[in-house]
């Protein structure tokens, strides 16, 4: 498979052995033996190690969890922080944040800095996992800076930070630095950047002279707990194979996971990893309401069906919005979303994703009233999902 050669030699056996022996392929299973499964397992006597936001107890990231999406495209940072706190209180296990310079569509209206949001949420929460879906560590962010930032976040909130990485979109990368090469280079850069990040996280001096990056530095404050590094893949088999090969886990959508699961598993196995021990996060769009509510949400997320088919190559959010309006009827956008005020519909949708092999279902609602969605899930959906998962 051509994708196995992506990254200019990074897939050869010697390099893979180096990565594994240095402890840079951080297995999510390493967390399982020391961290209880859910908030209900937390001791009432637990206290933070430092600061209000330090960890008391957190779930292992490869165990089944329900996450909540904090969309920087649609809401300002102060509101996202409040929503993150509310989501933890409602019983969500994980908070994912989008990481953009610009929104996908101009009518979404916002695009705050994700790492700032994560830090503020970490200080105000106690147990949820927090991470981006996803950060692009190759153009507007240098991989060394990404390594430093997430190391610092992990020191603030040990055992609660994950890093999701991807190859980027023109609306962020080209808009920021004016460069937007073809996919083979973007994918190779992602693989090389991931290698640099993992090397720096060891705390050793790193002298990396690669095809795309030259780094000669060390992190003087490296992580003291493992940071799972999940790699995004949508639509294409090469990207899915790459994520299995080079990631600690996967970030994707339900349709891509359904169609390309075998590619991810093959990539993991070819790299000497057990895909059953790797977290798989799927982002599930939902609507707590009726079809009119779905239409309103879909207006803001109209690009989704073509996001990673063509729109990721467009720099201007207004141009993406115009194209999506012309190309996609609203019903096409929401036709596979669970849409209902009946908890059974939502419980069934989440359980179906877990039954497909996903370990994290990240709930994303495009509705304006996010607190209503959080409260609905907290009262009527999450308890039943957790019960079914415990009984399985």
């Amino acid at each position: 498979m051509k994708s196995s050669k992506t990254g200019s030699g990074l897939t050869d056996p010697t390099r893979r052995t180096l990565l594994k022996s240095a402890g840079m392929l951080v297995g999510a299973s390493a967390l399982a033996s020391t961290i209880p499964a859910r908030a209900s397992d937390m001791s009432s006597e637990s206290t933070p190690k430092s600061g209000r936001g330090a960890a008391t107890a957190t779930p292992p990231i490869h165990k089944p969890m329900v996450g909540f999406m904090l969309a920087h495209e649609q809401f300002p940072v102060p509101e996202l922080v409040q929503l993150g706190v509310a989501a933890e209180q409602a019983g969500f296990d994980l908070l994912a944040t989008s990481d953009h310079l610009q929104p996908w569509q101009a009518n979404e209206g916002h695009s705050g800095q994700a790492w700032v949001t994560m830090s503020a949420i970490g200080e105000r929460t106690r147990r949820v996992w927090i991470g981006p879906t996803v950060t692009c560590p190759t153009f507007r962010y240098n991989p060394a800076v990404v390594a430093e930032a997430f190391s610092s976040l992990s020191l603030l909130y040990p055992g609660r930070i994950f890093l999701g990485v991807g190859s980027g979109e023109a609306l962020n990368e080209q808009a920021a630095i004016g460069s937007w090469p073809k996919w083979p280079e973007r994918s190779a850069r992602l693989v090389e950047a991931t290698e640099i990040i993992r090397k720096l996280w060891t705390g050793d001096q790193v002298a990396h002279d690669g095809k795309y990056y030259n780094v000669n530095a060390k992190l003087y404050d490296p992580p003291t707990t493992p940071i799972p590094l999940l790699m995004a893949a949508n639509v294409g088999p090469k990207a899915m194979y790459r994520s299995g090969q080079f990631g600690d886990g996967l970030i994707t959508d339900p349709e891509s996971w359904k169609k390309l699961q075998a590619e991810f598993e093959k990539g993991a196995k070819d790299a000497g990893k057990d895909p059953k021990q790797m977290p798989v996060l799927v982002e599930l769009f939902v609507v707590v309401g009726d079809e009119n509510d779905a239409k309103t949400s879909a207006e803001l997320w109209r690009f989704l069906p073509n996001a990673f088919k063509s729109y990721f190559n467009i720099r201007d959010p207004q141009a993406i919005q115009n194209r999506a309006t012309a190309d996609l009827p609203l019903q096409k956008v929401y036709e596979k979303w669970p849409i209902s005020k009946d908890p059974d519909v939502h419980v069934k949708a989440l359980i179906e994703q877990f039954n497909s092999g996903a370990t994290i279902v990240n709930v994303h609602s495009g509705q304006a009233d996010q607190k209503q969605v959080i409260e609905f899930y907290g009262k009527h959906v999450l308890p039943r999902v957790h019960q079914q998962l415990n009984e399985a």
Side-chain angles (χ1 to χ4, degrees):
M1 174 175 282
K2 290 183 180 180
S3 62
S4 66
K5 297 180 181 180
T6 300
S8 303
L10 293 177
T11 62
D12 63 80
T14 302
R15 185 65 58 88
R16 292 203 307 268
T17 302
L18 171 63
L19 290 173
K20 291 171 69 177
S21 63
M24 289 179 281
L25 287 176
V26 180
S29 59
L31 303 177
S33 62
T34 59
I35 303 174
R38 201 171 276 119
S40 59
D41 297 325
M42 292 170 55
S43 167
S44 60
E45 297 178 358
S46 298
T47 55
K49 293 181 180 179
S50 62
R52 288 181 298 164
T56 53
T58 52
I61 200 168
H62 77 291
K63 295 293 185 181
M65 291 193 290
V66 181
F68 188 80
M69 188 68 196
L70 300 172
H72 282 89
E73 303 96 319
Q74 191 175 350
F75 302 99
V77 168
E79 185 173 354
L80 291 175
V81 173
Q82 294 175 3
L83 293 173
V85 173
E88 182 188 63
Q89 292 172 349
F92 284 93
D93 305 301
L94 177 146
L95 300 174
T97 66
S98 51
D99 188 346
H100 284 263
L101 178 65
Q102 303 184 110
W104 275 96
Q105 294 184 180
N107 62 346
E108 291 178 310
H110 298 280
S111 195
Q113 215 290 329
W115 304 352
V116 174
T117 306
M118 290 171 58
S119 185
I121 290 173
E123 180 66 18
R124 292 161 175 80
T125 55
R126 304 274 291 190
R127 61 171 182 82
V128 285
W129 279 89
I130 306 169
T133 57
V134 295
T135 287
C136 177
T138 55
F139 292 100
R140 62 192 170 108
Y141 297 134
N142 182 282
V145 174
V146 175
E148 180 185 37
F150 280 81
S151 178
S152 295
L153 283 167
S154 77
L155 295 177
L156 284 169
Y157 315 115
R160 298 177 55 199
I161 297 297
F162 71 92
L163 171 59
V165 296
S167 57
E169 300 90 23
L171 64 96
N172 301 308
E173 321 319 325
Q174 184 181 15
I177 67 169
S179 178
W180 186 242
K182 299 296 185 180
W183 187 85
E185 179 181 333
R186 299 201 310 273
S187 183
R189 281 178 175 271
L190 178 62
V191 172
E192 187 176 338
T194 299
E195 180 185 11
I196 292 167
I197 291 168
R198 285 191 165 119
K199 284 180 176 180
L200 287 168
W201 279 348
T202 67
D204 297 334
Q205 182 72 31
V206 173
H208 177 93
D209 184 10
K211 183 175 181 178
Y212 299 106
Y213 303 101
N214 290 284
V215 175
N216 194 336
K218 68 176 289 184
L219 287 185
Y220 284 82
D221 294 291
T224 57
T225 55
I227 303 174
L229 192 154
L230 280 58
M231 190 172 285
N234 300 85
V235 182
K238 292 181 180 180
M240 193 68 76
Y241 180 92
R242 178 201 64 199
S243 295
Q245 189 175 23
F246 293 104
D248 297 329
L250 172 68
I251 296 171
T252 190
D253 62 272
E255 288 300 305
S256 295
W257 176 240
K258 181 180 179 180
K259 295 177 181 178
L260 300 169
Q261 180 176 351
E263 293 296 327
F264 171 76
E265 293 176 349
K266 186 177 187 301
K269 290 176 181 177
D270 286 352
K273 295 178 283 186
D274 180 2
K276 293 181 180 179
Q277 295 299 315
M278 299 170 70
V280 174
L281 183 153
V282 297
E283 184 173 347
L284 180 68
F285 273 76
V286 307
V287 174
V288 178
D290 58 21
E291 189 170 6
N292 288 328
D293 297 309
K295 289 178 180 179
T296 302
S297 299
E299 286 284 5
L300 300 178
W301 299 90
R302 198 163 189 157
F303 65 91
L304 280 171
N306 289 350
F308 298 103
K309 295 178 181 177
S310 59
Y311 297 164
F312 67 92
N313 281 319
I314 301 175
R315 176 197 55 79
D316 179 17
Q318 186 62 59
I320 295 174
Q321 181 180 333
N322 294 343
R323 280 278 302 274
T325 301
D327 296 345
L328 296 164
L330 279 179
Q331 189 174 4
K332 177 69 174 179
V333 179
Y334 64 78
E335 63 184 355
K336 295 183 179 179
W337 297 358
I339 302 167
S340 183
K341 289 186 178 180
D342 182 353
D344 288 344
V345 172
H346 295 269
V347 171
K348 180 182 178 182
L350 268 65
I351 293 298
E352 285 178 353
Q353 295 305 316
F354 285 118
N355 288 340
S356 76
T359 60
I360 304 166
V361 181
N362 191 44
V363 172
H364 187 161
S365 170
Q367 295 170 256
D369 191 346
Q370 295 280 285
K371 288 189 176 180
Q372 176 225 344
V373 177
I374 291 170
E375 290 172 1
F376 175 85
Y377 264 73
K379 292 179 180 178
H380 305 296
V381 179
L382 297 182
R384 291 173 57 186
V385 170
H386 288 155
Q387 181 180 2
Q388 291 191 35
L389 292 175
N390 289 333
E391 293 173 351

